Amino acid sequence: MQLYKKQKLKVHNSLTGKKEDFVPINEGHIGMYVCGPTVYSFVHLGNCRTFMSFDMIFRYFKHLGFKVRYVRNITDAGHLENDADEGEDKIAKKAKLEQIEPMEVVQRYTVDFHNTLQQFNLLPPSIEPTATGHIIEQIEIIKEIIENGFAYVVNGSVYFDVVKFNESHTYGKLSGRKLEDMIANTRELTAQSEKRNPQDFALWKKAEPQHIMRWPSPWGDGFPGWHLECTAMSTKYLGETFDIHGGGMDLKFPHHECEIAQSEASCGKSPVKYWLHANMLTLNGKKMSKSTGNNIYPSEIISGENNILSKPYSAAVVRFFMMQAHYTSILDLSDDALQASEKGYLRLMEALENLPKLPTSATSDFDVQAWRQKCYDAMNDDFNTPILISNLFDAVKRINLVKEGKETLSEADKNLLVDTMSAFIHDVLGIENQAHSDDNSQTLNGIVELLIGLRNEARANKDFATSDKIRDELNALGVQLKDGKDGTSFTIN
RNA sequence: GGCAUCGUGGCCGAGUGGCUAGGCACAGCUCUGCAAAAGCUUGUACAGCGGUUCGAAUCCGCUCGAUGCCUCCA
């Protein structure tokens, strides 16, 4: 039997603001769409958090035995700098700045994006479509929206008529906004706008003669609006209505709101059953953002080359740090917090390494079955990774007790514990053991064992000056010795 | 100004009507030649003020503060 039939999951749906029982549209199958990056610069850590959160969700679905189609797009066209009529495409702007082809910009930052996510151990999505690869689909949707009377053509551009739409539908249901309020609060700055209403958004923009990124359409040469690509690609690969749509909290309005409007205006259906939003990562209490410069790049954390943190942190530690907070909470990055996470991470990894070597007994002091279910309960409650991790640390304590001979574990329970720990840490949380990833670790271990032997001889001879020298100098090199009941063990940092 | 979210012990971070996660740091103890590691013990925190309730950090109201969105952002 598939695990998902036994483990009942609840998810927080942004559309209703409530935790709801998760029931996929087609039993055993899940369609999930997550808004990917606009590839006009390097991904910063805040971007990574969102993708990591949905990676964890993707992994848990797979762990439960669901067949998941996970679509995450690459925005390589259509993302405007601002809403003004002469607004520039972000990628085209960058291309002009660096004096290269727009597609070179796209290629460069797409490669960076993939490399970075790989470092953080994210699984690739099932499909990773690009906006430029789906121009035809986008044009088709625009045609439908025009046909249904919810869009209008002006001077080679097409705009979505929000006011008209709101007469028969509700614009703002996801973000909790009312169109009347939005209109009342509009700053009247767009004097010569070709839009009927400031709330209207572009489905298709006319390309000026010097604009490089352009495609033919029934309305002339141009390029698609940003909100439209997600509607086109999610519909194509997941259908008119699918299970989960994810993205950063900052995309809730207007991006996701517009997606809902586009779907309802074209095919008449609400596109998504469960909307999931990941919260922001802050730095110094402020949102990380490319546009304000308040950000840190993953490579800077791993290399330690930055002015914010006292030392480098591995990708696994950063991932563990992120998983210690719930994905819907704001998380603030700081050196203290990362240091605390690093220590916890190392303790967890050490227990995980010791676990298979543990002695077994006829009986167990630890109810592994009950503990295992607690881990599932945590994840079933809207992917509560902090609670899951607290449960993992309960197991760490029991592992250490068994290691010291203070508690017992049966063979069967030990095996179950090994399986469960590995499943949650590696498969679900996606946390790898990077504590000893050296290629030379075999040699290194041998050398340390040799020194331990020499030290033990010195200790037997009560030559503590020598034994302490070995221990302290190894410690200075990052090799920590631990004298236990069954001899000396060590960790390498 | 509008909409939304949030304010938890030294730090990070769960919880959301009674049973008061977890990590890190600190202190004491056990173990140890000494350390380290590990284990045990200790912290009675929920912005403020009212209200509902037998009972609130958790619900309601107000005040203060922070953040996000309202123009591009994961």
Side-chain angles (χ1 to χ4, degrees):
Chain A
M1 189 172 90
Q2 288 92 340
L3 222 37
Y4 64 76
K5 290 185 179 156
K6 228 176 93 192
Q7 304 295 344
K8 292 299 170 194
L9 182 63
K10 279 179 186 288
V11 299
H12 181 267
N13 189 352
S14 307
L15 192 59
T16 57
K18 291 185 183 128
K19 247 184 234 177
E20 300 175 3
D21 290 329
F22 178 71
V23 183
I25 295 164
N26 300 307
E27 199 199 306
H29 295 257
I30 294 174
M32 173 159 107
Y33 187 93
V34 171
C35 294
T38 301
V39 280
Y40 69 104
S41 69
F42 297 115
V43 276
H44 64 64
L45 201 65
N47 301 111
C48 293
R49 183 188 181 201
T50 297
F51 300 126
M52 229 183 270
S53 295
F54 287 103
D55 180 61
M56 174 273 293
I57 289 170
F58 177 44
R59 284 166 172 272
Y60 189 56
F61 283 147
K62 291 198 353 168
H63 175 76
L64 289 182
F66 285 110
K67 201 162 184 296
V68 192
R69 182 179 291 169
Y70 173 26
V71 182
R72 188 185 63 209
N73 68 296
I74 297 273
T75 297
D76 58 353
H79 203 155
L80 299 183
E81 276 289 305
N82 55 55
D83 201 31
D85 288 339
E86 60 286 354
E88 247 184 313
D89 183 290
K90 285 187 177 217
I91 288 157
K93 186 183 176 187
K94 186 82 174 187
K96 214 184 287 172
L97 219 65
E98 301 193 3
Q99 296 194 312
I100 52 178
E101 273 290 317
M103 278 301 135
E104 285 184 83
V105 173
V106 167
Q107 179 69 19
R108 174 182 300 171
Y109 296 113
T110 301
V111 167
D112 168 72
F113 175 66
H114 287 148
N115 286 344
T116 303
L117 294 198
Q118 197 170 24
Q119 278 189 299
F120 286 114
N121 199 30
L122 273 81
L123 299 173
S126 322
I127 304 175
E128 194 168 48
T130 59
T132 55
H134 297 77
I135 301 291
I136 292 167
E137 288 83 351
Q138 297 182 68
I139 290 172
E140 287 308 307
I141 291 178
I142 298 173
K143 282 188 197 161
E144 285 172 25
I145 297 176
I146 293 174
E147 235 167 75
N148 293 337
F150 296 116
Y152 54 91
V153 184
V154 186
N155 188 29
S157 292
V158 185
Y159 294 98
F160 191 97
D161 193 334
V162 173
V163 174
K164 178 83 186 298
F165 176 78
N166 198 52
E167 287 168 7
S168 49
H169 299 72
T170 311
Y171 182 77
K173 61 174 91 166
L174 179 65
S175 53
R177 288 158 209 254
K178 290 196 174 75
L179 185 59
E180 308 86 74
D181 295 342
M182 285 186 245
I183 292 169
N185 289 310
T186 303
R187 284 161 285 186
E188 296 292 339
L189 293 173
T190 44
Q192 80 291 38
S193 174
E194 52 187 34
K195 294 194 286 190
R196 288 182 191 166
N197 193 289
Q199 275 67 41
D200 294 353
F201 56 91
L203 296 171
W204 187 263
K205 290 287 279 185
K206 176 187 180 179
E208 297 304 320
Q210 71 277 12
H211 203 285
I212 320 166
M213 303 181 83
R214 56 199 302 141
W215 290 267
S217 82
W219 315 284
D221 278 9
F223 55 93
W226 174 43
H227 309 308
L228 189 60
E229 57 168 288
C230 288
T231 299
M233 293 186 272
S234 64
T235 306
K236 175 162 182 176
Y237 298 111
L238 299 172
E240 290 175 341
T241 303
F242 54 95
D243 298 298
I244 287 185
H245 190 128
M249 201 74 109
D250 50 352
L251 296 186
K252 210 170 178 183
F253 188 89
H255 185 57
H256 292 158
E257 200 70 74
C258 293
E259 280 186 51
I260 293 176
Q262 286 164 349
S263 281
E264 292 184 349
S266 60
C267 72
K269 290 181 189 163
S270 188
V272 177
K273 195 170 177 189
Y274 305 99
W275 283 92
L276 267 48
H277 286 98
N279 219 323
M280 300 293 103
L281 181 71
T282 60
L283 182 61
N284 299 321
K286 296 270 183 201
K287 179 187 170 184
M288 272 196 205
S289 162
K290 288 177 193 174
S291 52
T292 61
N294 186 49
N295 67 43
I296 186 163
Y297 293 109
S299 58
E300 296 175 326
I301 293 189
I302 293 165
S303 71
E305 285 163 18
N306 62 76
N307 301 324
I308 298 152
L309 307 172
S310 66
K311 60 185 284 274
Y313 295 95
S314 73
V317 166
V318 174
R319 182 158 180 142
F320 179 72
F321 163 73
M322 302 245 193
M323 291 295 146
Q324 275 185 302
H326 194 256
Y327 77 98
T328 58
S329 296
I330 294 171
L331 175 63
D332 192 51
L333 184 87
S334 69
D335 196 50
D336 286 348
L338 276 174
Q339 259 180 40
S341 288
E342 184 174 53
K343 292 200 175 166
Y345 164 80
L346 291 172
R347 200 156 85 90
L348 183 64
M349 288 304 127
E350 205 185 329
L352 197 59
E353 277 177 28
N354 289 331
L355 176 55
K357 300 180 247 168
L358 249 36
T360 53
S361 313
T363 56
S364 289
D365 292 319
F366 183 29
D367 188 344
V368 179
Q369 278 292 357
W371 167 81
R372 179 182 159 93
Q373 187 52 45
K374 276 171 75 182
C375 292
Y376 280 106
D377 290 346
M379 287 304 288
N380 292 342
D381 183 19
D382 194 28
F383 316 102
N384 198 326
T385 53
I387 294 291
L388 169 65
I389 289 172
S390 85
N391 288 327
L392 295 178
F393 276 104
D394 283 344
V396 167
K397 188 192 273 189
R398 309 311 282 259
I399 289 167
N400 289 333
L401 283 168
V402 174
K403 183 166 174 269
E404 298 215 341
K406 290 178 182 162
E407 283 196 0
T408 61
L409 202 58
S410 72
E411 182 75 32
D413 276 346
K414 181 180 150 182
N415 291 336
L416 186 62
L417 191 55
V418 169
D419 284 355
T420 310
M421 287 289 274
S422 171
F424 279 107
I425 294 172
H426 298 135
D427 302 347
V428 174
L429 294 176
I431 292 166
E432 291 297 316
N433 189 354
Q434 293 185 342
H436 321 272
S437 51
D438 278 339
D439 291 339
N440 301 325
S441 59
Q442 284 281 40
T443 316
L444 190 59
N445 287 350
I447 293 169
V448 175
E449 294 287 358
L450 180 71
L451 288 167
I452 288 172
L454 288 173
R455 173 167 168 269
N456 284 339
E457 273 179 39
R459 288 172 75 204
N461 298 329
K462 301 228 185 283
D463 178 7
F464 295 122
T466 304
S467 69
D468 286 357
K469 184 177 174 173
I470 293 173
R471 183 187 65 205
D472 295 343
E473 295 201 359
L474 277 176
N475 195 35
L477 294 168
V479 180
Q480 190 174 58
L481 301 189
K482 296 163 192 173
D483 295 333
K485 280 204 167 62
D486 328 308
T488 305
S489 62
F490 64 94
T491 53
I492 303 171
N493 295 326

